[in-house]
């Protein structure tokens, strides 16, 4: 398990997660998934990618997937350094 | 007043006339009825609810239906709805229980569940209990309730759970024991034949087999997908085009299909669907209010939607309340956020209109919920302030607090009444720190004399509560200070509340008086405390508020116990038990406490029969109702009994449980749980954790003493005595010397405060310390003083729970013969009999006797003696279990404990040792 806190600054390091589901979702679903980036693949799958503050937030996103009856294919943690620096992070309801 | 139950949650959906019957699944459900549990675990939109409604409509058994939602994670609320659902088929079931569950302070769940299981065991006919949408609960306490129910499954009950995810129950072991019938996604998937029936017969289409195969494959037999396909195709001529583009698309099935369906609706209908998707429940009038378009009539439109099969689920037979099918509703809400001509503020306006409608119709929680969703803090703040008193007097202050938590801090800032209410809500929940913040805020409206001033800008809705604000704040302050142990502040603020200038109403004044009483109690001024609490009890009794009087009676009794007046304490408990008939609401809440108090007194006096009887009475009463701290007190009392029985492990577990149940409150915490645990560690001979406790509390023999810490200091003296046992020579003597000096100071303080209960215990400890020093003379003098104080009140446990060292001293005292007063010798004899003490051979048992042959370090409990007797009679473990109506496992636990206490490793050795100790009846 990578540690969730930056060892020197004590600042929380946001983890980037990528959720892969069956079927292509329109980008307008981004809001539904708290502002995560929605991208589709040619083989008919959708990648929901973004920064997640903690495990509780990740589980909340997985519940959204469940409640839409989407078929969950994979959940991966991505290396933020390797990913795009502009990845959005989920927004809480009050900020929207 | 009780919170209302929503009948719509108990409504069993009727099967749609256009539904497809699925005989293979219905056969599977019927077969599952022999088992305890049927689990339908499948994704959203798989047709779980539809299948259940069809199945149950065919059957002849009574069905109790409960649709769960997020709020049911509260186990009390869950239980209340479960009982209410069962009452729809067995009206007399759990009547008493439901009243209890809806009371402001329900008793512990475990007790109520036992009652329910017992009542269900007497069912005359089979009943099916359906829990629909179980995934929304997400609550370990609720899972626990079902686990308990399934573990003791009443024979006539069958449980059905429909859920999107596996419940946290022991499914694997139920599966292995054949108690589980399961229908999962793969079972619910529509077969080609079922898809054909749905599309061509039920939905009236005329599709070729190849087309149906394509649709079945594309939707993967998903019920929601097939339904939307049918709606999209209805009245359509270009079916081939639709099939082509749908099957060629990779888009998410529902996304694609909903767009198709919505695009085919008239504009007004489309708007209605989107706007009303913000509602959890719909009725015509509510929809009218939310849509706010005179051209669209709510009731008529709901009718039309139902007729068009647009995923509308009726919630009652009158077709008054509906909800959207969950998945459809979610999709609509998502679309609502994407509407180009409907920006965010319009959605907020929809919520505001919903909130207003609910407010007018007196549904306060829903009004608060939509006010929060409308992001309208002014509205939310106003509703909260107006609803507090009613919510607080029902059991909804937790929900109230949850919505107020959504207010931006600034909105509490200039609302003194709301801020004070919020502080009280935090106090109720034991969150003292949060309470402090909001009290401080409200106090900005008080001037130096803590009267109301008008300088600050102020927003007040509940005007009538403004003029009593200074008194309410002072009372909250006093309560807070007392819960934090700040006695001076408790007294100060109670005094402010009592200031004649405020002319506070009598109830508020009496509240201040009793808070003062608690402060006296904490300070050790027992007479003043007794008078204050007795005064409050008298006031509330005379004004007919019996609930308050009865709830405070324990305070009077406990003070008398501290003063060493056991008989007077018992008289108080009995007197209050007679104050009202058993079925009086206030009596029903207080009776468990009064009986528990009597049980503990009987236990102390060595009257095991009476203790068991009162304990049983307390438990039985608690099934009806109890006060908020009953679970905590019940665990403490059980731990005390286990301790006396020598079951240290069980006692420690119960103390941990009590610690978890403790809610901080103004009653002084005179016996902290950590200190009770330290005593148990010492009894176990486990010195290290006891020493760690003393270190963590920063205790020293030279500490300044106070009544609040008396119990801890007496425990610390015990730690010193125990440590001395492990040291020889000078280090040991130094420890004993420190203990004796601490005990001398404790004794002086207890004598000054008139606390005879403490005095006796201190004298016993002093006697043990002298004995350890080898000063038998002084040991016996202290013991004689303790006996003289204890004899009139009949203390037993205080002595015999000290174990062998004190028993040897008592034996020595007894054998000193005629030099002792006859009364004390008789009392002493009684104690030795109660402890089943058998001296080792001679009458000269002295402090130096090893006691190894003489008596057990840990006495056997009554049950263990019974088990030992049966072992001696030659019963096998299985026979024992059958004879005593206990499990084999419990028998093994008993034998293990017996071996441990007797220091043996086999049945033969145990019997031999038992005979040597004279514990066994001759066969």
């Amino acid at each position: 398990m990578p540690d969730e806190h930056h060892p020197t600054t004590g600042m929380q390091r946001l983890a980037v997660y990528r959720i892969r589901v069956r079927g292509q979702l329109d980008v307008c679903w981004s809001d539904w998934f708290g502002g995560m980036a929605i991208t589709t693949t040619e083989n008919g799958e959708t990648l929901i990618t973004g920064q997640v503050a903690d495990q509780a937030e990740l589980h909340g996103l997985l519940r959204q997937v469940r409640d839409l009856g989407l078929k969950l294919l994979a959940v991966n943690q991505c290396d933020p350094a390797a990913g795009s620096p502009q990845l959005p992070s989920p927004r809480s309801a009050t900020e929207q | 007043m009780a919170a209302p139950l929503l009948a719509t949650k108990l409504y069993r959906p009727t099967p749609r006339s256009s539904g497809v019957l699925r005989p293979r699944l219905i056969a599977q459900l019927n077969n599952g009825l022999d088992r305890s549990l049927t689990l339908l675990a499948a994704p959203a939109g798989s047709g779980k609810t539809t299948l259940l409604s069809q199945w149950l409509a065919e059957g002849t058994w009574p069905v109790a239906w409960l649709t769960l939602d997020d709020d049911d994670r509260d186990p009390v609320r869950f239980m209340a709805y479960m009982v209410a659902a069962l009452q729809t088929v067995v009206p007399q079931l759990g009547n008493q229980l439901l009243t209890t569950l809806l009371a402001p302070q329900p008793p512990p769940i475990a007790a109520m569940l036992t009652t329910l299981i017992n009542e269900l065991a007497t069912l005359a006919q089979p009943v099916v209990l359906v829990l629909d949408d179980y995934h929304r609960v997400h609550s370990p306490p609720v899972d626990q309730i079902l686990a308990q129910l399934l573990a003791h499954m009443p024979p006539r009950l069958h449980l059905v759970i429909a859920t999107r995810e596996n419940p946290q129950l022991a499914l694997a072991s139920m599966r292995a024991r054949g108690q589980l019938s399961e229908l999962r996604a793969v079972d619910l998937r529509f077969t080609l034949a079922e898809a054909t029936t749905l599309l061509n017969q039920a939905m009236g289409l005329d599709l070729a087999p190849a087309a149906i195969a394509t649709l079945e494959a594309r939707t993967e037999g998903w019920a929601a997908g097939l339904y939307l396909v049918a709606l999209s195709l209805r009245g359509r001529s270009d079916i081939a085009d639709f099939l082509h583009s749908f099957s060629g698309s990779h888009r998410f099935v529902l996304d694609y299909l909903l767009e198709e369906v919505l695009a085919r609706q008239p504009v007004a209908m489309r708007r209605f669907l989107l706007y009303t998707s913000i509602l959890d429940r719909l009725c015509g009038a509510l929809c009218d209010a939310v849509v706010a378009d005179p051209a669209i009539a709510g009731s008529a439109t709901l009718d039309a939607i139902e007729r068009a099969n647009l995923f509308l689920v009726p919630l009652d037979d009158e077709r008054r309340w509906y909800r959207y099918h969950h998945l459809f509703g979610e999709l609509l809400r998502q679309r609502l956020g994407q509407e180009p001509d409907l920006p965010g503020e319009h959605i907020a306006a929809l919520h505001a209109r919903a909130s207003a409608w609910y407010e007018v119709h007196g549904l306060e929680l829903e009004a608060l919920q939509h006010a929060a969703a409308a992001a309208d803090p002014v509205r939310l703040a106003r509703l909260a302030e107006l609803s507090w008193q009613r919510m607080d007097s029902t059991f909804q202050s937790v929900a109230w607090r949850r919505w107020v938590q959504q207010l931006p801090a600034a909105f509490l800032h200039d609302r003194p009444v709301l801020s004070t209410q919020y502080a009280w809500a935090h106090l109720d929940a034991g969150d003292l720190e949060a309470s402090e913040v909001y009290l401080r805020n409200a106090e900005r409206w008080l001037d130096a004399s803590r009267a109301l001033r008008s300088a600050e800008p102020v927003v007040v809705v509940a005007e009538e509560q403004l003029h009593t604000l200074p008194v309410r704040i002072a009372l909250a302050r006093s309560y807070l200070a007392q819960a934090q142990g700040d006695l001076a502040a408790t007294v100060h603020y109670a005094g402010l509340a009592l200031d004649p200038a405020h002319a506070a109403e009598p109830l508020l004044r009496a509240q201040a008086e009793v808070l003062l009483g608690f402060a006296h109690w904490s300070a050790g001024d027992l007479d003043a405390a007794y008078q204050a609490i007795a005064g409050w009890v008298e006031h509330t009794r005379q004004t007919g508020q019996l609930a308050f009087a009865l709830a405070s009676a324990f305070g009077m009794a406990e003070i008398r116990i501290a003063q060493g007046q056991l008989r007077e304490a018992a008289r108080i408990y009995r007197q209050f038990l007679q104050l009202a008939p058993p079925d009086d609401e206030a009596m029903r809440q207080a009776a468990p406490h009064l009986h528990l108090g009597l049980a503990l007194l009987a236990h102390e006096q060595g009257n095991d029969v009476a203790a068991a009887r009162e304990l049983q009475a307390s438990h039985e009463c608690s099934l009806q109702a109890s006060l908020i701290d009953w679970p905590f007190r019940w665990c403490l009392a059980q731990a005390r009994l286990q301790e006396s029985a020598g079951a240290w492990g069980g006692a420690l577990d119960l103390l941990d449980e009590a610690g978890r149940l403790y809610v901080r409150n103004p009653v002084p915490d005179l016996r902290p749980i950590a200190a009770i645990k330290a005593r148990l560690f010492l009894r176990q001979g486990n010195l290290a954790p006891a020493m760690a406790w003393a270190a963590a509390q920063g205790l020293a023999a030279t500490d300044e003493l106070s009544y609040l810490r008396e119990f801890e200091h007496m425990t610390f003296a015990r730690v010193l005595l125990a440590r001395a046992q492990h040291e020889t020579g000078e280090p040991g003597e130094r420890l004993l010397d420190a203990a004796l000096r601490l005990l001398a100071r404790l004794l002086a303080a207890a004598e000054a405060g008139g606390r005879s209960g403490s005095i006796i215990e201190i004298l016993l400890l002093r006697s043990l310390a002298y004995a350890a020093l080898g000063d038998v003379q002084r040991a016996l003098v202290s013991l004689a003083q303790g006996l003289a104080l204890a004899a009139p009140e009949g203390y037993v446990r205080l002595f015999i729970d000290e174990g062998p060292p004190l028993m040897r001293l008592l034996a020595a005292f007894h054998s000193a013969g005629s030099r002792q007063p006859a009364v004390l010798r008789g009392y002493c004899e009684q104690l030795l009999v109660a402890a089943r003490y058998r001296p080792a051979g001679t009458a000269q048992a002295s402090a130096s006797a090893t006691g190894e042959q003489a008596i057990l370090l840990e006495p056997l409990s009554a049950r263990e003696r019974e088990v030992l007797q049966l072992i001696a009679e030659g019963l096998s473990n299985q026979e024992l279990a059958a004879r005593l109506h206990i499990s084999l496992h419990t028998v093994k636990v008993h034998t293990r404990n017996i071996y441990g206490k007797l220091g043996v490793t086999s049945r033969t050795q145990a019997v031999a040792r038992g005979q040597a100790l004279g514990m066994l009846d001759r066969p």
Side-chain angles (χ1 to χ4, degrees):
Chain A
M1 263 283 304
D3 79 38
E4 301 281 332
H5 294 83
H6 203 279
T8 49
T9 62
M11 279 178 47
Q12 195 172 36
R13 195 174 63 192
L14 293 171
V16 174
Y17 276 89
R18 173 166 291 163
I19 300 170
R20 195 153 60 89
V21 298
R22 171 87 62 83
Q24 291 176 338
L25 275 181
D26 194 89
V27 286
C28 73
W29 282 93
S30 171
D31 272 357
W32 185 263
F33 290 104
M36 301 270 279
I38 304 273
T39 47
T40 53
T41 67
E42 296 203 344
N43 60 351
E45 293 173 0
T46 301
L47 302 174
I48 305 166
T49 316
Q51 290 189 332
V52 170
D54 53 22
Q55 290 292 301
E57 185 166 354
L58 178 62
H59 283 289
L61 288 168
L62 294 178
R63 198 169 298 167
Q64 302 271 63
V65 168
R66 178 199 74 183
D67 284 340
L68 282 180
L70 284 164
K71 188 165 279 180
L72 180 63
L73 298 175
V75 182
N76 292 320
Q77 189 177 9
C78 317
D79 182 358
S84 154
Q86 280 94 39
L87 280 174
S89 71
R91 299 185 303 265
S92 71
T94 49
E95 287 166 336
Q96 282 176 20
Chain B
M1 206 191 77
L5 289 173
L6 286 174
T8 51
K9 283 168 62 70
L10 309 179
Y11 180 75
R12 164 155 65 106
T14 42
R16 219 190 294 256
S17 53
S18 60
V20 164
L21 281 181
R22 309 177 76 186
R24 66 184 173 98
L25 297 178
I26 287 178
Q28 212 174 325
L29 288 167
N30 281 332
N31 290 337
L33 277 174
D34 298 340
R35 310 179 179 198
S36 305
L37 171 65
T38 296
L39 176 66
L40 276 85
S46 300
K48 299 181 290 292
T49 307
T50 306
L51 174 64
L52 284 177
S53 67
Q54 288 174 343
W55 171 51
L56 297 168
E58 282 198 350
T60 50
W61 341 269
V63 178
W65 184 284
L66 173 56
T67 302
L68 297 163
D69 58 50
D70 299 351
D71 290 330
D72 293 317
R73 67 190 52 182
D74 171 1
V76 174
R77 184 183 142 114
F78 174 82
M79 278 276 285
Y81 270 111
M82 193 159 74
V83 173
L86 288 163
Q87 285 188 344
T88 59
V89 290
V90 190
Q92 73 280 16
L93 187 125
N95 249 337
Q96 204 76 49
L97 199 56
L98 194 58
T99 324
T100 311
L101 280 159
L102 298 176
Q105 292 170 344
I109 286 290
M112 294 188 287
L113 187 56
T114 309
T115 313
L116 179 62
I117 290 173
N118 289 340
E119 291 201 31
L120 285 170
T122 64
L123 282 177
Q125 51 180 359
V127 170
V128 176
L129 171 62
V130 181
L131 303 177
D132 196 16
D133 289 337
Y134 189 72
H135 58 269
R136 295 192 62 179
V137 173
H138 259 284
S139 156
V142 171
D143 291 331
Q144 196 54 43
I145 289 175
L146 290 188
Q148 279 296 315
L149 179 63
L150 286 165
H152 307 279
M153 194 64 176
R156 294 284 173 108
L157 186 68
H158 182 77
L159 184 62
V160 178
I161 295 179
T163 174
R164 292 178 186 173
E165 61 181 49
N166 272 9
Q168 299 296 304
L169 300 169
L171 297 178
S173 76
M174 294 190 69
R175 226 174 260 137
R177 291 199 304 269
Q179 292 171 351
L180 177 62
S181 164
E182 269 177 292
L183 274 79
R184 307 195 65 92
V186 63
D187 304 302
L188 284 158
R189 176 179 175 153
F190 272 67
T191 64
L192 208 50
E194 286 168 338
T196 308
T197 316
L198 170 68
L199 296 170
N200 280 357
Q201 287 172 23
M203 301 298 280
L205 298 169
D206 183 20
L207 298 171
I212 293 175
T214 304
L215 291 169
E216 200 273 342
R218 177 69 175 94
T219 58
E220 299 182 52
W222 189 18
L226 285 169
Y227 237 96
L228 279 168
V229 163
L231 290 172
S232 312
L233 286 176
R234 199 181 267 172
R236 196 165 188 148
S237 52
D238 56 344
I239 288 179
D241 286 350
F242 173 88
L243 280 177
H244 183 72
S245 56
F246 179 47
S247 60
S249 158
H250 281 308
R251 287 187 58 194
F252 177 45
V253 174
L254 296 189
D255 222 3
Y256 186 98
L257 294 172
L258 185 76
E259 212 156 271
E260 291 287 323
V261 172
L262 283 181
R264 299 167 63 77
Q265 302 301 324
V267 175
M269 173 65 93
R270 181 187 159 91
R271 189 186 307 154
F272 184 93
L273 288 168
L274 291 172
Y275 284 13
T276 56
S277 70
I278 64 155
L279 300 169
D280 293 338
R281 307 184 288 147
L282 310 97
C283 73
L286 174 57
C287 290
D288 285 339
V290 169
V291 176
D293 181 346
I296 311 177
S299 293
T301 314
L302 285 173
D303 269 358
I305 295 176
E306 200 193 356
R307 269 184 277 111
N309 281 319
L310 276 170
F311 294 90
L312 198 64
V313 183
L315 293 174
D316 50 44
D317 279 328
E318 296 81 49
R319 296 290 195 266
R320 183 169 137 73
W321 284 99
Y322 295 89
R323 67 168 171 84
Y324 287 117
H325 182 282
H326 295 309
L327 187 54
F328 187 68
E330 299 267 18
L331 290 166
L332 287 176
R333 271 194 290 284
Q334 192 269 340
R335 276 294 133 81
L336 177 67
Q338 300 303 322
E339 282 294 281
D341 57 340
L342 197 74
E345 56 264 32
H346 287 180
I347 298 178
L350 298 177
H351 281 291
R353 297 204 288 264
S355 176
W357 188 88
Y358 276 120
E359 183 193 354
V360 170
H361 291 80
L363 293 159
E364 285 153 334
L365 263 189
E366 284 87 349
L368 286 168
Q369 176 197 336
H370 282 288
D376 182 349
V378 177
R379 173 169 193 85
L380 182 55
R382 183 175 64 79
L383 288 172
E385 189 168 319
L386 290 174
S387 61
W388 162 253
Q389 287 211 318
R390 210 174 81 84
M391 300 286 264
D392 185 39
S393 65
T394 66
F395 71 109
Q396 305 185 80
S397 101
V398 175
W400 184 91
R401 189 169 76 130
R402 198 170 63 218
W403 292 118
V404 176
Q405 263 159 353
Q406 303 225 344
L407 276 178
F411 276 83
L412 284 144
H413 188 259
D414 55 0
R415 285 172 169 76
V417 172
L418 182 61
S419 201
T420 308
Q421 294 168 339
Y422 198 36
W424 268 112
H426 286 307
L427 284 179
D428 285 348
D431 187 350
L432 309 183
E433 292 73 18
S435 171
E436 167 71 40
V437 172
Y438 294 97
L439 281 177
R440 202 176 302 149
N441 181 53
E443 280 161 350
R444 291 185 298 116
W445 283 271
L446 303 182
D447 63 20
S449 65
R450 299 190 76 83
L452 214 55
R453 64 171 179 188
S454 50
E456 291 263 350
V458 63
V459 182
V460 174
V461 200
E463 287 285 350
E464 76 288 354
Q465 284 181 47
L466 185 62
H467 75 276
T468 56
L469 196 68
V471 178
R472 289 177 194 274
I473 290 176
L475 283 172
R477 275 281 170 209
S478 181
Y479 183 108
L480 176 64
Q482 176 63 22
Q484 287 171 328
D486 181 351
L487 305 190
T490 308
V491 174
H492 172 70
Y493 288 111
L496 284 179
L498 288 167
D499 186 333
H502 292 313
E505 54 192 278
L507 183 66
L508 295 181
R509 292 183 61 81
Q511 263 171 5
E513 294 282 5
V514 80
L515 281 164
L516 275 179
F518 286 136
H520 292 312
W521 192 356
S522 303
D525 189 348
L526 298 183
D527 283 328
Y530 186 90
Q531 274 170 28
I533 298 173
W536 155 261
V537 166
E538 195 49 35
H539 168 84
T540 49
R541 222 172 102 179
Q542 281 175 6
T543 53
Q545 289 157 309
L546 202 57
F548 286 119
L550 287 166
S552 306
F554 85 95
M556 294 167 64
E558 286 203 350
I559 289 171
R560 288 301 185 229
I561 293 170
Q563 291 175 324
Q565 300 177 28
L566 302 188
R567 298 186 199 285
E568 169 64 9
R571 191 196 61 76
I572 292 171
Y573 283 133
R574 287 202 199 91
Q575 176 197 340
F576 277 89
L577 271 171
Q578 321 240 301
L579 216 57
D583 58 348
D584 178 272
E585 181 58 35
M587 180 56 80
R588 296 199 316 141
Q589 293 206 351
H593 290 243
L594 300 172
H595 284 296
L596 195 62
L598 282 171
L600 284 171
L601 284 171
H603 175 72
E604 176 52 58
Q605 294 177 321
N607 188 345
D608 292 346
V609 177
R613 189 183 60 229
E614 295 294 345
L615 211 57
Q616 175 74 17
S618 173
H619 181 71
E620 276 168 14
C621 295
S622 77
L623 300 176
Q624 310 289 326
S626 69
L627 299 168
I628 195 162
D629 60 340
W630 191 81
F632 165 73
R633 287 173 176 276
W634 173 257
C635 281
L636 274 189
Q638 291 285 351
R640 178 79 191 87
L641 297 177
Q642 297 261 311
E643 181 187 350
S644 288
W648 319 122
L652 284 168
D653 288 347
L654 282 159
L655 288 172
D656 285 335
E657 179 66 14
R660 279 189 288 277
L661 293 166
Y662 183 65
V663 178
R664 285 187 290 177
N665 67 77
V667 178
D669 185 16
L670 292 165
R671 292 175 175 235
I673 286 174
I676 307 178
K677 282 175 70 178
R679 289 175 171 224
L680 275 163
F681 290 134
L682 291 177
R683 296 216 163 160
Q684 276 182 315
N686 201 355
L687 191 52
M691 282 171 64
W693 162 79
Q697 303 301 316
L699 288 163
T702 51
D703 281 344
E704 200 177 308
L705 302 180
S706 72
Y707 180 45
L708 272 178
R709 301 204 75 183
E710 182 183 58
F711 187 76
E712 289 179 296
H713 281 123
M714 292 200 296
T715 309
F716 184 60
R718 291 172 179 276
V719 174
L720 293 175
L721 292 179
R723 281 178 60 198
Q725 280 179 8
H726 291 73
E727 306 277 354
T728 47
E730 210 203 307
E733 283 176 19
R734 265 209 309 275
L735 285 164
L736 290 171
D737 186 52
L740 278 168
R741 272 185 284 141
L742 173 59
L743 288 168
R745 291 196 300 130
L746 282 166
L747 185 60
E751 281 172 348
R755 300 189 291 271
S756 294
S758 306
I759 295 172
I760 301 170
E761 184 178 339
I762 295 165
L763 287 169
L764 299 188
L765 292 177
R766 198 164 75 169
S767 175
L768 289 168
Y770 281 130
L773 274 173
D775 188 345
V776 178
Q777 200 64 38
R778 284 196 168 135
L780 293 183
V781 171
S782 278
L783 183 61
Q785 291 171 342
L787 284 169
L789 269 175
E793 297 288 335
Y795 283 90
V796 172
R797 279 285 156 195
L798 193 57
F799 289 82
I800 68 178
D801 282 357
E802 288 295 340
L806 192 72
M807 292 307 105
R808 287 194 288 271
L809 281 171
L810 280 173
F813 178 88
H814 187 252
S815 62
S818 52
R819 280 178 288 141
Q820 314 293 1
V823 167
L824 293 190
R825 281 198 73 212
Y827 178 43
C828 189
E829 210 167 284
Q830 183 198 333
L831 292 174
L832 288 168
V833 169
R836 295 185 174 73
Y837 180 76
R838 307 268 167 151
T842 68
Q844 238 102 66
S846 74
S848 62
T850 64
E852 208 250 323
Q853 277 83 39
I855 106 164
L856 294 177
L857 291 175
E858 296 178 27
L860 297 192
S861 68
R863 192 59 149 181
E864 287 163 354
R865 281 200 304 279
E866 195 177 354
V867 170
L868 183 61
Q869 180 67 41
L870 293 175
I871 290 177
E873 287 170 21
L875 267 68
S876 71
N877 279 357
Q878 281 84 358
E879 289 164 341
L880 259 169
R883 174 82 68 92
L884 297 177
H885 305 292
I886 56 182
S887 73
L888 194 56
H889 173 74
T890 311
V891 172
K892 287 176 180 165
V893 170
H894 282 313
T895 42
R896 198 169 60 228
N897 289 345
I898 293 168
Y899 289 7
K901 289 181 180 180
L902 296 178
V904 300
T905 53
S906 73
R907 291 167 72 99
T908 3
Q909 286 176 6
V911 172
R913 183 104 171 89
Q915 271 161 356
L917 290 167
M919 286 174 169
L920 296 174
D921 302 337
R922 296 282 161 211

